[in-house]
């Protein structure tokens, strides 16, 4: 019998992020407490730019955006936000969407699988993802539960289950 396998990846659906950003923008334009504060959220190249005339307002816009991301099933671990910075009369905050598993993070996951996972499970790094294989599908499901239970600083998804 051939080995079964799956990949551990850290990917984000860009369309869902865009939808969450548009929903947040629409809510900001309609809410009474954001009238006249110059609050906005938009793409600025590959980053998300949030601006308002007060630091609290920038953080409030970020909170709304995070709420929209959660409702769309996107982990907040994929969102990397900086601190609000003064820019003239306004405050700006830049956020980026993190994708892919770095080599160091992939090694951490592979070590966790080797140390605490079931016997006979192999994990190998392939670019920005991790391939996990075993003869037993039950062992692969145990590995998925183990990785879900671990608290990594990046979002994980399981794809290509064969």
């Amino acid at each position: 019998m051939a080995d079964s396998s799956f990949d551990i990846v850290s990917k984000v659906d860009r369309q869902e992020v865009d939808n969450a950003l548009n929903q947040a923008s629409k809510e900001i334009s309609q809410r009474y407490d954001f009238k006249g504060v110059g609050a906005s959220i938009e793409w600025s190249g590959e980053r998300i730019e949030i601006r308002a005339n007060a630091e609290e307002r920038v953080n409030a816009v970020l909170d709304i955006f995070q709420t929209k991301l959660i409702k769309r099933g996107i982990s907040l671990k994929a969102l990397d936000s900086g601190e609000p910075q003064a820019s003239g009369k306004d405050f700006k905050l830049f956020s980026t969407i993190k994708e892919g598993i770095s080599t160091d993070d992939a090694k951490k996951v592979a070590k966790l699988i080797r140390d605490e996972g079931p016997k006979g499970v192999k994990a190998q790094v392939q670019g920005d993802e991790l391939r996990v294989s075993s003869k037993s599908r039950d062992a692969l499901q145990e590995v998925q539960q183990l990785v879900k239970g671990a608290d990594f600083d990046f979002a994980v998804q399981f794809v290509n289950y064969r």
Side-chain angles (χ1 to χ4, degrees):
M1 186 173 145
D3 282 1
S4 299
S5 68
F6 68 89
D7 295 336
I8 300 175
V9 298
S10 181
K11 290 194 163 80
V12 176
D13 185 353
R14 287 297 239 215
Q15 186 61 50
E16 290 296 329
V17 173
D18 200 37
N19 291 343
L21 188 129
N22 290 335
Q23 284 182 337
S25 179
K26 186 174 182 180
E27 183 174 328
I28 291 160
S29 70
Q30 292 176 345
R31 273 180 45 175
Y32 179 75
D33 56 338
F34 285 110
K35 295 284 186 228
V37 296
S40 69
I41 181 169
E42 59 192 14
W43 286 106
S44 174
E46 284 296 307
R47 302 187 302 179
I48 297 165
E49 181 181 340
I50 300 171
R51 41 170 91 214
N53 66 356
E55 192 171 345
E56 309 85 50
R57 291 285 173 229
V58 171
N59 288 327
V61 172
L62 178 63
D63 188 46
I64 291 169
F65 181 54
Q66 289 173 338
T67 304
K68 300 299 180 191
L69 286 175
I70 291 169
K71 283 183 180 175
R72 295 203 154 268
I74 297 173
S75 172
L76 292 182
K77 292 179 180 181
L79 182 68
D80 186 20
S81 296
E83 290 296 316
Q85 302 162 344
S87 170
K89 293 181 182 177
D90 289 346
F91 281 85
K92 286 184 183 178
L93 185 141
F94 290 102
S95 298
T96 55
I97 303 295
K98 294 186 291 187
E99 288 193 296
I101 300 176
S102 70
T103 307
D104 293 340
D105 289 337
K107 286 179 183 175
K108 285 181 199 170
V109 176
K111 183 175 179 359
L112 174 78
I113 292 169
R114 260 195 326 276
D115 295 347
E116 298 179 28
K119 297 229 182 289
V121 175
K122 297 185 284 290
Q124 58 196 79
V125 179
Q126 295 182 332
D128 63 350
E129 56 187 45
L130 190 70
R131 167 81 36 97
V132 180
S133 58
S134 171
K135 291 201 182 302
S136 163
R137 288 184 171 232
D138 292 339
L140 291 180
Q141 290 178 342
E142 283 181 48
V143 168
Q144 285 185 350
Q145 294 304 317
L146 177 68
V147 172
K148 278 182 193 173
D151 187 29
F152 295 113
D153 58 348
F154 55 93
V156 294
Q157 293 89 28
F158 307 106
V159 296
N160 294 341
Y161 192 79
R162 304 179 190 162

